[in-house]
Amino acid sequence: MNFIQFHKELFRINSKFSEYAANHAEAQEFVFEGPGLFQVDLEKYAFLVYEGVVLKYHISPLGKMLYDNFYTRNSFIGLLPNIFYFDDYFEYTTLGNIRGLKIPLSALETYPDDLKNELFLRNIQRELFWKDSAARMLGLNLKEKIYYILSIIHSFRGINPWDNTYSIPKYITHEILANVANVSRTRVSYVMSELQKENVITYSKEGKIVILDIDFLHDSCGY
Amino acid sequence: MNFIQFHKELFRINSKFSEYAANHAEAQEFVFEGPGLFQVDLEKYAFLVYEGVVLKYHISPLGKMLYDNFYTRNSFIGLLPNIFYFDDYFEYTTLGNIRGLKIPLSALETYPDDLKNELFLRNIQRELFWKDSAARMLGLNLKEKIYYILSIIHSFRGINPWDNTYSIPKYITHEILANVANVSRTRVSYVMSELQKENVITYSKEGKIVILDIDFLHDSCGY
């Protein structure tokens, strides 16, 4: 299945779930003031993000951090326990404030089977898919990583009808790109300003990244 | 959840499923003569491996191969469709003969919900877990990769009561190590013969790798 189709399906399921959960007292809205460590009890709760970005890292016993996944609007943190090696663990970091729905896993048990099963399956599939992209990135150089991330994000976005360009959601900042690509913010800004000079990207009045030449990014991301 | 516990649970579920499926006419034993490309229709069938090893690779449009996952006794190939970017695809390669059970997904639909749901969930979780290990390996050097793989495999094995050593299953050959670590067989053999000289590993009469000093491997795998 193509990842665009898949994400449409995922969006549908998570929205359906969110509607259902909002009508059940056990699920409660939460607000988390970031940036900071998102320390939550994933043995007991699942979190559906409405707003903000959470990054997940896989930490080795020697403290090596590996970017693993991200969560943003309409995606789930938790649902199924992480499986870890003896001394590995996973860490969740927010890049700003997070708003969403906190659902006790015990309440989820009582939800209709169809809804629940689809929810679990699709959300782990999402996790699988984005892990693939994280692994793929490890073999790319700095520039390629940034091109690759922009290419992927671009695919999700509708075209702007007024000028045939694609804009990137506002929450995708240089800081996010740096965190996901695991490079410094300075290097990201350097690559981005080069791309701007070469008319591959520009910025909208609201400060959003706008992609002018997706073919360049796609053809140069070296994967 | 710890990965050893998890795999016990997975083994239980897949065995239960295999018993159930063996009593249903739609599931049929298959034999695939390898080594070769395991070209099967994963839109229509799932494959439960009884014997042999299948490796899964993620192939980019430029032809870059990324080791993604492996399947051996009592693990599932398929069940849920792979999700891919526009020009990516997944390839399955066997390292020898494969024997197992081929189950039409349409037949699976008719199986009891409990069995089916658990089966799907746990097998994707397995896929997630091993993807993490594949990603982790990309940051290691050649030696560390081999130490890391041996450390993981070792954790699955019971200790040999007669001499307190751990032996590695016979199907884990230098060729498999080379494929999983994505290095040449010659380099694997070189590292392994160094390990043998330093009394970290040895070989049993049947040619199995036996680990004598797991602490060395574990402490030196640099992850």
Side-chain angles (χ1 to χ4, degrees):
Chain A
M1 190 188 272
N2 177 290
F3 79 111
I4 304 278
Q5 289 169 279
F6 172 76
H7 280 86
K8 277 188 188 157
E9 179 69 8
L10 180 70
F11 195 87
R12 189 185 63 72
I13 288 157
N14 285 356
S15 302
K16 194 169 119 193
F17 174 81
S18 148
E19 260 176 57
Y20 185 91
N23 292 321
H24 284 71
E26 306 89 356
Q28 296 199 309
E29 287 225 15
F30 77 94
V31 174
F32 181 94
E33 283 193 25
L37 266 188
F38 188 62
Q39 278 177 307
V40 289
D41 189 350
L42 296 178
E43 305 270 323
K44 288 202 180 137
Y45 300 96
F47 296 82
L48 176 59
V49 179
Y50 286 159
E51 230 182 278
V53 181
V54 179
L55 299 178
K56 178 181 177 186
Y57 291 94
H58 186 185
I59 318 278
S60 85
L62 296 177
K64 282 194 192 171
M65 284 179 77
L66 202 60
Y67 161 72
D68 183 275
N69 235 304
F70 74 100
Y71 306 89
T72 179
R73 192 159 88 87
N74 222 18
S75 57
F76 260 103
I77 304 174
L79 282 186
L80 275 182
N82 289 312
I83 300 162
F84 43 79
Y85 293 113
F86 302 106
D87 303 313
D88 279 30
Y89 61 98
F90 292 91
E91 207 169 79
Y92 297 82
T93 307
T94 67
L95 293 179
N97 296 344
I98 307 297
R99 204 172 57 78
L101 204 60
K102 176 181 177 177
I103 307 118
L105 294 178
S106 57
L108 238 165
E109 292 283 314
T110 67
Y111 286 18
D113 275 344
D114 279 8
L115 184 64
K116 200 171 59 188
N117 292 330
E118 222 180 15
L119 187 80
F120 274 68
L121 276 180
R122 297 306 165 205
N123 282 284
I124 321 184
Q125 261 191 306
R126 176 196 184 275
E127 190 109 356
L128 268 179
F129 175 76
W130 288 109
K131 259 191 218 295
D132 280 338
S133 81
R136 181 61 77 190
M137 247 185 343
L138 293 173
L140 304 179
N141 69 34
L142 182 133
K143 272 191 188 183
E144 289 170 341
K145 278 181 184 170
I146 295 171
Y147 298 173
Y148 179 66
I149 299 170
L150 291 175
S151 290
I152 297 175
I153 303 173
H154 147 271
S155 322
F156 277 104
R157 305 292 294 174
I159 203 161
N160 297 328
W162 56 90
D163 61 356
N164 281 331
T165 57
Y166 288 86
S167 71
I168 298 288
K170 214 179 161 183
Y171 65 80
I172 306 291
T173 58
H174 289 189
E175 192 190 353
I176 297 232
L177 293 176
N179 275 285
V180 170
N182 198 21
V183 298
S184 76
R185 237 192 95 153
T186 325
R187 300 295 293 269
V188 171
S189 298
Y190 182 77
V191 172
M192 295 299 274
S193 80
E194 274 195 323
L195 288 176
Q196 200 180 353
K197 269 184 227 151
E198 290 159 15
N199 286 315
V200 177
I201 65 161
T202 186
Y203 293 87
S204 73
K205 268 179 288 183
E206 311 94 65
K208 285 190 205 173
I209 301 165
V210 176
I211 295 180
L212 302 172
D213 188 352
I214 179 63
D215 291 339
F216 173 83
L217 293 174
H218 202 261
D219 294 347
S220 319
C221 70
Y223 91 102
Chain B
M1 189 189 272
N2 177 289
F3 79 111
I4 305 278
Q5 289 169 280
F6 172 76
H7 280 85
K8 277 187 188 156
E9 179 68 6
L10 181 70
F11 195 86
R12 189 185 64 72
I13 288 157
N14 285 356
S15 302
K16 192 169 119 191
F17 174 82
S18 147
E19 259 176 56
Y20 185 91
N23 292 321
H24 284 70
E26 306 89 356
Q28 295 199 310
E29 286 226 15
F30 77 94
V31 174
F32 181 94
E33 282 192 29
L37 266 188
F38 189 61
Q39 277 178 306
V40 289
D41 189 350
L42 296 178
E43 305 271 322
K44 289 203 181 134
Y45 300 96
F47 296 82
L48 177 60
V49 179
Y50 286 159
E51 228 181 278
V53 181
V54 179
L55 298 178
K56 178 180 178 187
Y57 291 93
H58 186 185
I59 318 279
S60 87
L62 296 178
K64 282 193 192 170
M65 285 178 78
L66 201 60
Y67 162 72
D68 183 276
N69 234 305
F70 75 99
Y71 306 89
T72 181
R73 193 158 88 88
N74 223 17
S75 59
F76 260 102
I77 304 174
L79 282 186
L80 275 182
N82 288 312
I83 300 162
F84 43 80
Y85 292 114
F86 303 106
D87 304 314
D88 279 30
Y89 62 98
F90 292 91
E91 206 169 79
Y92 298 81
T93 306
T94 66
L95 293 178
N97 297 343
I98 307 296
R99 205 172 57 78
L101 205 60
K102 176 180 178 178
I103 307 120
L105 294 177
S106 57
L108 237 166
E109 292 285 313
T110 67
Y111 286 17
D113 275 344
D114 279 8
L115 184 63
K116 201 171 59 188
N117 293 329
E118 219 178 19
L119 187 80
F120 274 68
L121 276 182
R122 296 307 165 205
N123 282 283
I124 321 183
Q125 261 191 306
R126 175 195 185 275
E127 191 108 356
L128 268 179
F129 175 77
W130 288 108
K131 259 191 219 296
D132 281 337
S133 81
R136 181 61 77 190
M137 247 186 342
L138 293 173
L140 304 180
N141 69 32
L142 181 133
K143 271 191 189 183
E144 289 170 343
K145 278 182 184 169
I146 295 171
Y147 298 173
Y148 179 65
I149 299 169
L150 292 175
S151 291
I152 296 174
I153 303 173
H154 146 271
S155 324
F156 277 105
R157 304 293 293 176
I159 204 162
N160 297 329
W162 56 90
D163 60 358
N164 281 329
T165 58
Y166 288 86
S167 71
I168 298 288
K170 213 178 162 183
Y171 64 80
I172 306 290
T173 58
H174 289 191
E175 193 190 352
I176 296 233
L177 293 175
N179 275 286
V180 170
N182 198 21
V183 297
S184 75
R185 238 194 92 154
T186 326
R187 299 296 293 270
V188 171
S189 299
Y190 182 77
V191 172
M192 295 298 275
S193 79
E194 274 194 321
L195 288 177
Q196 200 180 351
K197 269 184 228 151
E198 288 157 17
N199 285 316
V200 177
I201 63 160
T202 185
Y203 293 88
S204 73
K205 268 179 288 181
E206 312 94 65
K208 284 191 206 174
I209 300 166
V210 176
I211 296 183
L212 303 172
D213 188 353
I214 180 63
D215 291 338
F216 173 82
L217 293 174
H218 203 262
D219 294 347
S220 319
C221 71
Y223 90 103

